[in-house]
């Protein structure tokens, strides 16, 4: 930011402050604050901040925020000597969070319903002697296609949405601030793409195995001898009951 170029903020640690214009700044240095006072509640009050609109301009700061983000040089009619307090500005995001949580739970429930069926189909599609190697091969494929690349892909997405990296004397440090909008959009859209691909594969599995007998009780044919023995046993039991009834009479 041009308003804090002379402050040498490259190696200043991330310490967010909430400006009087309603915006969160990376640190007092990045906001161009020159004075600080400790308030009775323990929070720090920063004043004479060259990057923050003064209280006299806060009433129309919202209409100027877009142009203010594009350039931080002072413009006619504005006074940049605002104040700030330690900590980020409060953001109400509970409603979107609950919506996200609801969608996530529904997605997990739907995804969990197909796991048992896919496992049973995988066991029924192979010979008895090949079941063990089938399970091992299935786990190996799952690991290669999902468990291994997932941290790499999502880690790259997280790194790309970082807007402020910590600096050390020799190398780049940890990320101090992320672009929240870009992070959640990219993460959710990427996850949605993989979910859609998995759903298409599940639909294909269902289509080609819809007439497949998964459980033993489905379509089980009773041998003729077992059926005959069962009938004879029932007849013997009925005969015994009739004899007992006649003896009692």
């Amino acid at each position: 930011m041009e308003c804090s170029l002379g402050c040498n903020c490259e190696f200043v640690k991330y310490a967010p402050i909430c400006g009087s214009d309603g915006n969160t700044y990376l640190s007092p240095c990045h906001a161009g604050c020159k004075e600080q006072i400790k308030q009775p509640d323990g929070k720090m009050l920063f004043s004479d901040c060259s990057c923050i609109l003064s209280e006299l301009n806060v009433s129309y700061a919202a209409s100027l925020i877009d142009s203010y983000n594009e350039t931080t040089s002072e413009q006619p009619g504005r006074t940049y000597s605002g104040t700030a307090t330690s900590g980020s500005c409060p953001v109400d995001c509970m409603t979107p969070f609950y919506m996200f949580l609801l969608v996530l739970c529904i997605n997990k429930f739907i995804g969990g319903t197909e796991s048992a069926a896919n496992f049973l189909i995988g066991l029924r599609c192979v010979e008895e002697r090949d079941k063990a190697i089938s399970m091992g091969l299935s786990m190996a494929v799952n690991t290669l296609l999902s468990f291994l690349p997932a941290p790499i892909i999502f880690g790259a997405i997280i790194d790309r949405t970082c807007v402020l990296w910590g600096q050390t004397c020799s190398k780049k440090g940890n990320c101090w601030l992320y672009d929240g909008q870009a992070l959640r959009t990219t993460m959710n859209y990427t996850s949605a793409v993989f979910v859609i691909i998995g759903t298409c594969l599940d639909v294909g599995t269902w289509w080609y195995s819809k007439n497949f007998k998964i459980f033993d009780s489905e379509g089980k044919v009773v041998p003729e001898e077992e059926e005959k023995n069962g009938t004879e046993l029932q007849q013997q039991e009925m005969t015994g009951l009739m004899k007992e009834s006649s003896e009692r009479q």
Side-chain angles (χ1 to χ4, degrees), residues 23-237:
N23 295 321
T24 299
Y25 295 84
L26 304 179
S27 70
C29 180
H30 289 86
C33 299
K34 301 177 180 64
E35 299 180 3
Q36 62 180 12
I37 302 174
K38 189 173 184 179
Q39 301 181 100
D41 58 359
K43 289 188 176 182
M44 299 298 297
L45 175 64
F46 303 93
S47 59
D48 196 13
C49 302
S50 59
C51 298
I52 303 177
L53 287 171
S54 65
E55 285 78 358
L56 297 176
N57 295 271
V58 171
S59 59
Y60 61 87
S63 62
L64 303 176
I65 189 64
D66 293 334
S67 59
Y68 175 69
N69 287 333
E70 296 175 359
T71 173
T72 56
S73 59
E74 296 187 5
Q75 300 180 14
R78 302 186 193 180
T79 303
Y80 292 93
S81 59
T83 60
T85 56
S86 56
S88 303
C89 294
V91 179
D92 184 12
C93 58
M94 293 307 297
T95 300
F97 172 73
Y98 287 137
M99 294 178 61
F100 171 77
L101 192 62
L102 177 62
V103 174
L104 182 63
C105 292
I106 295 175
N107 183 28
K108 292 296 184 181
F109 175 77
I110 296 175
T113 55
E114 47 81 28
S115 299
N118 286 344
F119 180 75
L120 291 175
I121 291 174
L123 291 179
R124 293 292 186 177
C125 289
V126 297
E127 297 292 339
E128 183 73 24
R129 63 178 183 274
D130 298 329
K131 292 185 184 296
I133 192 172
S134 172
M135 294 175 61
L137 183 61
S138 176
M139 290 299 298
V141 172
N142 287 336
T143 301
L144 291 175
L145 298 182
S146 59
F147 297 123
L148 287 181
I152 299 174
I153 295 174
F154 287 100
I157 293 174
I158 293 173
D159 288 343
R160 289 188 61 182
T161 56
C162 180
V163 296
L164 179 63
W165 289 95
Q167 297 289 336
T168 62
C169 296
S170 58
K171 59 181 180 179
K172 181 170 64 175
N174 297 327
C175 182
W176 288 348
L177 183 65
Y178 293 95
D179 184 349
Q181 178 68 28
L183 178 60
R184 63 173 175 263
T185 301
T186 309
M187 290 280 285
N188 289 328
Y189 282 160
T190 303
S191 301
V193 169
F194 287 119
V195 169
I196 292 173
I197 294 174
T199 302
C200 294
L201 295 176
D202 284 337
V203 171
T205 302
W206 168 80
W207 177 260
Y208 286 104
S209 61
K210 58 183 178 180
N211 297 323
F212 192 75
K213 304 301 182 183
I214 296 179
F215 301 102
D216 291 335
S217 59
E218 295 184 3
K220 184 176 180 180
V221 179
V222 180
E224 183 177 354
E225 293 182 359
E226 293 182 2
E227 184 177 0
K228 182 178 179 180
N229 293 334
T231 303
E232 292 177 355
L233 181 61
Q234 291 179 357
Q235 291 178 353
Q236 292 176 1
E237 291 177 353

